[in-house]
Amino acid sequence: MTDPNTASDSPAPVSVSAAPTDARIELAIEPGEWQRVSPKYIVVDVVGWLIFGGIMTAASFTPYWIGWSLGWILPVAFGTIFLLVIAFTPRRVRAIGYALRDDDLLFRRGILFQRFVAVPYGRMQLVDISRGPVARLLGLAELKFVTAAASSGVLIPGLPLERAEQLRDHLVAVAETRRAGL
Amino acid sequence: MSDELSRAKDATATDFADGEWHRLHRATPLFRGGLTLLIIIGVIVANFRERLIEAFIPGSSEFAPDDPFFDYIIGENLILQAAAAVLGLLLLIVAGFWLSWRFHSFRITDQVVEVRSGILFRTNRKGRLDRIQGINIVRPFIPRLFGAAKLEISVAGNDANVPLQYLTGKQADALRRDILLLASGARRDAAGGSAPAAAAGDADPSAAGADSAAIPPGTPLTLASGILDQRVNEFLAPELDPSLVEPESVVHMDPGRLIGSTVLGGPAIVFVLLTAGLITGIAMTGEVALVVGFIPAMLGIGGFLVSRITRSLRYSIAATPDGVRVGFGLLSTTNETLPPGRIHSVKVSQPLLWRPFGWWQIAVNRASRSSAQGAGGQAQTTILPVGNADDVRTVLRLLLPAGVTDDSMPMIDLGLTGSGDEGGFVPSPRRARPLRWFSVKRNATALTPELLMLRSGAIWRALTLVPYPRIQSVAVTQGPIERALRLGAIQVHTVAGPITANLGALDRDHAVSFFEHASGRAIAAAERDTSHRWGATAQSEPVAQPHENAAPDGTQ
């Protein structure tokens, strides 16, 4: 899928200045309101994909080893796909954004498959902060906003730890004032 | 043993909701585990029958005793000891049962319902009353014969139920009434007057008449009097407390329609296809033994179909002040009360083969999972197994009283059978045809003052309704194909259940505007929603009327 806007979009992927002819989804909020995740998260994401991609590519050698002469196609294909995924990581990470609006948390991610979620603060059931090994080395954490609906799926990765904790406390405080039932 | 335990009262009073500890029905252990014991005893007796007869009346049996164990006992003259051992074991089991009954107690305070049980491993379960998602009275067949019922209080969460098993039927009814009163937030004493002892006993047989055709009144059982008579009355009584509801179920389940809908439903078609495949298989190979391979599948599907019919035969649904009451079941009955605001989304759908008959079914998403099963073995999410358009309207009115009114009824009708942009529905644009071949005009959204509607399907028609206060979050998404067509998809997130309120292939701009309107209204509605204490609102102030104009939203 070719994206007509890729070139012009790359300096500020989180923006509303898209031309009206653009078929992408943009919400009517100020560009400055979107907060990005730390660029260091690119490293976390790349390391994750490298490990996963490495294992998958290595595993895909199996048909070749057990004697299928055309089996080399598989690891080449896998390797290419994973390298492409990794090459787009910076772009993908820049596309992750969140905005704290008056009554809800807005979250976006994805370039090819765009997804915007709006979760009212009062719907919060709990906030989770978790840190993987690579993220911990870089001082990052990810924040998960859990509602009663499993499909809400708001997971903000690549937040500096202080920011994540501050955000969590803020969200809990705001949720407390807007407590709603289920 | 704690003092509280010894102070726990036996469950003989009907006023349980006084904050004291109470015990359950005395026969509880018998129903929960004792039946297995009886079966084991039965098996032993059946196996040793010849032996016993031989032992007491020598020469009466022609079977030669050839059991070394039994021979040993008789030979060594250990009959007395053996009998003592058996008796001791039985006593031990009975004592265990009795202890487990002693230790199993519950209490209902103004805030929580609490159950504790277990002799060695104590468990204590508390459910908050304002989190109650439903109260279910289940009467499994055998306990039902003894007039016992299980009360299950569903709290939000997976298997987060507080079961009280078993109580007598009367107690269960009274307890349900009291718990709902407490949970509603209404004043206990204020409500006391409206809940007289009418709940006790004499269920109106005339009200039962409509539903009780399954067991004709001329049953020999009615010849007995007293307790037996009362049991039979309970057995035949409708699953609705006459003091609290209009006595008649608002939907009458027609057996012909039920059978027809089952025959034309998905599983039945699989059944027919399987049979056809089997017959052709046999015809082609001449191998009759093929039947054996199909027997398990056939039995499974056949059982499912039969249970679907029998469970739904005495279906009833009615409004009570504390929510909708839905009853199912012929031999084992379940009867669930869903307080207002506990229904997170509603889906009205119509399988293709039901279309000529105008039948629909209604399913809901709820925050709790009941262990008991509803219609036809499905989880208790099917609220109306089958009904015509009138039934659908009636049931929707009960399920979503705020959203489904005379004003919005034309919208509902359009949602069920309409197409195009009539009445405020915004359908997919023409360019969505590659993604929605036939249903491009059906695929539409609408926002009414109280409800969000997603209409879809030209062949398998469906209408999903989500009340704003129950929306957890809203998402708008776009994949590459949708981007090429300048389309978008929306997802309305509610608690997990059989319904996913998603709709794809919408105009991009419309999807974004829908996303913003829906999330804005969800926030506003959640703020003024007080349904977790539904009784309190009813008393203090009239239910908040929508302040948006009643006309379907034209801004989308």
Side-chain angles (χ1 to χ4, degrees):
Chain A
M1 190 69 230
T2 53
D3 182 355
N5 210 36
T6 308
S8 68
D9 214 18
S10 51
V14 183
S15 85
V16 290
S17 58
T21 51
D22 182 14
R24 300 182 71 82
I25 290 182
E26 284 302 340
L27 300 185
I29 78 167
E30 291 299 314
E33 276 185 64
W34 284 114
Q35 309 200 32
R36 306 236 190 107
V37 303
S38 163
K40 283 192 239 169
Y41 178 65
I42 297 172
V43 180
V44 183
D45 200 68
V46 166
V47 169
W49 278 109
L50 274 179
I51 293 172
F52 179 66
I55 291 172
M56 290 300 286
T57 313
S60 65
F61 269 109
T62 319
Y64 184 64
W65 282 329
I66 59 174
W68 184 34
S69 55
L70 282 178
W72 57 268
I73 293 176
L74 242 76
V76 168
F78 270 89
T80 319
I81 291 170
F82 282 115
L83 283 178
L84 270 176
V85 168
I86 289 168
F88 274 100
T89 295
R91 176 102 170 71
R92 210 169 44 239
V93 169
R94 274 201 308 267
I96 302 174
Y98 63 95
L100 297 168
R101 296 202 291 193
D102 288 344
D103 297 304
D104 57 2
L105 171 74
L106 206 55
F107 175 71
R108 64 172 292 167
R109 73 179 307 160
I111 323 163
L112 201 57
F113 291 89
Q114 273 186 302
R115 175 180 158 89
F116 294 77
V117 192
V119 198
Y121 296 128
R123 291 304 182 194
M124 187 192 85
Q125 300 293 323
L126 61 95
V127 181
D128 242 1
I129 289 187
S130 56
R131 315 179 68 193
V134 184
R136 196 153 49 208
L137 275 179
L138 297 165
L140 297 181
E142 63 181 27
L143 184 138
K144 191 176 182 186
F145 191 100
V146 180
T147 70
S151 44
S152 290
V154 175
L155 179 80
I156 311 177
L159 293 169
L161 184 60
E162 322 81 82
R163 176 69 187 134
E165 282 174 348
Q166 182 197 341
L167 191 59
R168 173 195 60 195
D169 295 344
H170 173 71
L171 289 174
V172 171
V174 178
E176 202 51 48
T177 62
R178 288 152 217 256
R179 195 96 205 100
L182 272 181
Chain B
M1 192 178 297
S2 69
D3 290 346
E4 281 175 352
L5 254 190
S6 51
R7 272 195 277 114
K9 296 176 185 170
D10 288 358
T12 46
T14 41
D15 188 20
F16 290 133
D18 51 4
E20 299 286 319
W21 290 97
H22 295 278
R23 291 205 190 88
L24 297 163
H25 195 285
R26 283 174 186 276
T28 295
L30 192 71
F31 298 138
R32 298 187 67 180
L35 289 174
T36 341
L37 184 76
L38 287 184
I39 291 168
I40 292 171
I41 293 176
V43 168
I44 292 174
V45 168
N47 279 332
F48 283 99
R49 189 185 51 207
E50 303 297 340
R51 301 296 194 152
L52 292 174
I53 293 171
E54 177 67 30
F56 289 109
I57 314 163
S60 66
S61 169
E62 292 161 15
F63 297 97
D66 55 353
D67 186 332
F69 178 67
F70 207 73
D71 284 345
Y72 172 77
I73 289 176
I74 293 176
E76 299 288 319
N77 209 8
L78 291 173
I79 295 175
L80 222 59
Q81 286 89 328
V86 169
L87 203 68
L89 194 71
L90 280 179
L91 278 179
L92 212 67
I93 293 173
V94 168
F97 278 165
W98 185 79
L99 268 181
S100 84
W101 172 78
R102 280 282 298 179
F103 275 87
H104 197 146
S105 55
F106 67 94
R107 70 170 172 183
I108 286 118
T109 70
D110 289 347
Q111 297 296 324
V112 295
V113 48
E114 191 175 356
V115 178
R116 48 183 193 185
S117 61
I119 304 168
L120 293 177
F121 298 93
R122 316 260 1 224
T123 58
N124 191 325
R125 191 163 233 196
K126 267 188 202 179
R128 277 183 48 184
L129 286 184
D130 60 347
R131 291 289 185 204
I132 284 183
Q133 299 297 315
I135 295 191
N136 199 358
I137 293 186
V138 185
R139 293 182 169 89
F141 182 55
I142 289 172
R144 192 168 164 224
L145 289 177
F146 294 92
K150 168 180 165 185
L151 187 84
E152 199 176 45
I153 300 156
S154 321
V155 190
N158 204 353
D159 192 30
N161 295 339
V162 183
L164 299 176
Q165 50 188 3
Y166 287 89
L167 302 161
T168 66
K170 252 187 263 176
Q171 289 169 345
D173 287 340
L175 190 54
R176 169 172 66 189
R177 184 191 65 216
D178 291 346
I179 292 176
L180 284 171
L181 271 181
L182 287 173
S184 72
R187 280 285 172 74
R188 192 175 149 79
D189 43 315
S194 69
D202 40 75
D204 184 3
S206 66
D211 287 342
S212 63
I215 300 170
T219 329
L221 284 176
T222 47
L223 298 173
S225 58
I227 292 178
L228 195 54
D229 213 20
Q230 190 189 335
R231 287 278 172 279
V232 172
N233 272 339
E234 275 181 24
F235 211 80
L236 296 181
E239 294 303 316
L240 297 166
D241 181 346
S243 71
L244 291 176
V245 291
E246 303 99 86
E248 293 274 349
S249 166
V250 294
V251 171
H252 177 63
M253 183 56 68
D254 178 45
R257 183 193 298 163
L258 181 62
I259 293 167
S261 70
T262 308
V263 168
L264 294 175
I269 290 168
V270 174
F271 187 79
V272 170
L273 287 180
L274 261 181
T275 318
L278 178 67
I279 290 169
T280 40
I282 291 173
M284 285 172 66
T285 60
E287 198 72 58
V288 184
L290 271 178
V291 173
V292 179
F294 279 86
I295 284 177
M298 302 288 239
L299 279 182
I301 299 177
F304 173 83
L305 295 177
V306 169
S307 84
R308 191 190 126 94
I309 292 175
T310 53
R311 289 192 72 87
S312 302
L313 260 181
R314 280 189 68 191
Y315 168 83
S316 65
I317 183 167
T320 76
D322 293 315
V324 190
R325 191 163 295 174
V326 189
F328 281 110
L330 189 61
L331 298 178
S332 302
T333 68
T334 65
N335 172 1
E336 180 147 47
T337 307
L338 299 167
R342 265 63 175 178
I343 289 159
H344 289 249
S345 58
V346 179
K347 184 174 190 174
V348 189
S349 59
Q350 182 177 56
L352 180 61
L353 291 177
W354 287 15
R355 196 160 169 166
F357 307 94
W359 294 333
W360 301 84
Q361 68 177 8
I362 299 181
V364 297
N365 269 9
R366 310 171 36 193
S368 59
R369 305 271 170 293
S370 177
S371 55
Q373 294 188 322
Q378 297 132 327
Q380 262 181 349
T381 48
T382 306
I383 291 293
L384 178 67
V386 60
N388 58 25
D390 283 334
D391 297 338
V392 168
R393 290 187 199 106
T394 320
V395 171
L396 284 180
R397 260 179 218 272
L398 293 183
L399 295 179
L400 303 165
V404 182
T405 55
D406 288 337
D407 289 339
S408 61
M409 202 48 91
M411 291 278 292
I412 302 272
D413 288 342
L414 281 174
L416 293 179
T417 54
S419 74
D421 56 1
E422 264 181 286
F425 277 95
V426 182
S428 295
R430 260 173 193 287
R431 60 177 186 278
R433 201 167 278 277
L435 292 176
R436 294 286 183 279
W437 293 2
F438 305 110
S439 63
V440 75
K441 284 184 175 163
R442 277 279 297 167
N443 202 62
T445 66
L447 296 165
T448 75
E450 295 290 328
L451 288 175
L452 178 157
M453 296 190 189
L454 304 178
R455 182 180 76 183
S456 66
I459 296 170
W460 281 271
R461 288 165 167 172
L463 174 70
T464 305
L465 308 171
V466 186
Y468 294 126
R470 300 279 86 79
I471 296 175
Q472 300 294 324
S473 56
V474 189
V476 55
T477 62
Q478 189 187 51
I481 298 171
E482 283 165 329
R483 183 164 312 136
L485 297 166
R486 203 153 54 79
L487 300 172
I490 49 128
Q491 303 169 357
V492 181
H493 303 137
T494 66
V495 297
I499 306 167
T500 45
N502 298 350
L503 202 66
L506 294 168
D507 175 62
R508 194 266 319 251
D509 295 332
H510 173 60
V512 169
S513 110
F514 182 89
F515 167 80
E516 277 163 0
H517 279 96
S519 56
R521 289 186 184 203
I523 292 164
E527 265 167 19
R528 57 168 202 269
D529 179 52
T530 48
S531 59
H532 64 288
R533 285 289 192 195
W534 67 93
T537 30
Q539 283 187 342
S540 60
E541 49 179 312
V543 178
Q545 285 304 306
H547 45 251
E548 291 105 327
N549 49 350
D553 192 53
T555 57
Q556 347 169 10

